[in-house]
Amino acid sequence: PVPLVAGGRVYVAGTTGRVYCLDAGDGKLAWEYPEAPSKPHRAGDEDKWIRCGSPSPVLLGGTLTVNAQGLVGLDARTGKPRWKLPGAFSGPLLAWSKEDASRVLVLRSDHAAKKTLLTG
């Protein structure tokens, strides 16, 4: 995924399912999601990785949306989860706003039904 630079911060999704927020000026880690585990990543956890083709993070209204072991909305300042949506998502995350409503749109694959759904 391509990192997102906004408000003096750099948001980047790692390939092991983690999201990092760095200070754009000095590169210091501001927060990490999820918080660092006590055990190192082990082989066999590949289902928790972020694929190289995963969408880049989107910032909308103070919420950073990222594909990290499902779709997750994080407080951009603290990294604390605001909401989670499990599932397999593909394609870019798109910011959409109309009047007083804002959403992040993404495609969701339903392999059993052989459908691709638009989720907001």
Side-chain angles (χ1 to χ4, degrees), residues 11-57:
Y11 303 96
V12 62
T15 58
T16 59
R18 308 193 74 71
V19 180
Y20 305 94
C21 175
L22 308 169
D23 182 281
D26 61 17
K28 290 184 181 176
L29 182 68
W31 54 259
E32 180 179 347
Y33 173 85
E35 293 178 3
S38 57
K39 297 179 182 177
H41 176 78
R42 295 185 336 244
D45 289 340
E46 288 81 6
D47 61 323
K48 298 177 183 172
W49 293 11
I50 292 179
R51 306 292 178 238
C52 291
S54 291
S56 297

Side-chain angles (χ1 to χ4, degrees), residues 44-112:
D45 289 340
E46 288 81 6
D47 61 323
K48 298 177 183 172
W49 293 11
I50 292 179
R51 306 292 178 238
C52 291
S54 291
S56 297
V58 169
L59 183 61
L60 186 62
T63 299
L64 181 75
T65 301
V66 65
N67 188 5
Q69 301 174 29
L71 209 58
V72 181
L74 304 172
D75 182 297
R77 189 178 49 80
T78 65
K80 300 295 181 200
R82 291 185 171 173
W83 54 264
K84 295 180 183 180
L85 183 62
F89 299 90
S90 61
L93 299 175
L94 303 170
W96 175 84
S97 296
K98 182 177 181 182
E99 298 168 7
D100 62 344
S102 296
R103 302 284 185 270
V104 174
L105 305 177
V106 64
L107 296 177
R108 183 179 207 169
S109 300
D110 183 341
H111 297 292

